Amino acid sequence: MFKNPFQVAVAFAVIALTIKIVLYAMGIQHGAMETGIRYIYMLLILMAVFFGVRSNKIAAEKQTTFGEDFRAGARTASFFAILTALITYVYYAKIDSEFFNVMKEPLMEELQVKFKAELEITEAKKVKVLKENITNQIYSINTMLSPYFHAMWTMFGLVFLGLFNAGVFALLMKKFPGFKK
């Protein structure tokens, strides 16, 4: 089926992209699907690592070691994470560029209400400090809700989850042979 970990990663990254585009086309990318896409990515990385380790076992002419299986799974997870991060960045920067604006609206409204309430009870001397605090909070919101930040954390999360899955699958495939067929 797959000849190397990169092919596995590309195949599952294309599946991830397809799912994101379908959700966008249906208009359900907000709300419950924000959490749902995380679970879908968790399932995809799990399957990608499994098939990456399995393809390595099939390609090997001899019995593979735990280290070889782990490296195959880690390579697959890393490739998948990098491709998915690129897809995530392009998706949020070009395709669904209004996503983060929708996410920012309630936070900015809450911050504005909080600022007005604190402004009423604050002395004139402390207004400058209060304005700096609000400016820093706005900067933090804009930084955290950006395509770059989201893609970066997607990549880190998928890499670490993939490394864990690679270790588990390498151990299971070493303990229970028979995944080669």
Side-chain angles (χ1 to χ4, degrees), residues 77-139:
S78 299
F79 291 146
F80 177 78
I82 291 168
L83 292 172
T84 304
L86 290 171
I87 288 168
T88 300
Y89 179 78
V90 170
Y91 173 82
Y92 286 119
K94 303 293 183 198
I95 298 171
D96 193 6
S97 58
E98 291 299 310
F99 180 82
F100 291 111
N101 292 334
V102 171
M103 299 292 290
K104 288 177 192 176
E105 281 179 22
L107 295 172
M108 292 297 190
E109 288 174 10
E110 180 182 324
L111 197 59
Q112 189 176 22
V113 168
K114 181 181 172 185
F115 177 67
K116 285 181 181 177
E118 287 182 13
L119 192 59
E120 291 174 3
I121 60 171
T122 304
E123 300 172 12
K125 295 177 189 177
K126 296 181 183 177
V127 170
K128 183 178 179 185
V129 173
L130 180 63
K131 286 183 180 180
E132 285 180 15
N133 186 16
I134 296 299
T135 304
N136 289 339
Q137 289 180 11
I138 290 171
Y139 178 75

Side-chain angles (χ1 to χ4, degrees), residues 147-165:
Y148 174 76
F149 191 82
H150 194 70
M152 179 184 65
W153 281 107
T154 298
M155 184 179 69
F156 284 141
L158 288 174
V159 165
F160 290 121
L161 185 61
L163 290 175
F164 175 76
N165 290 340

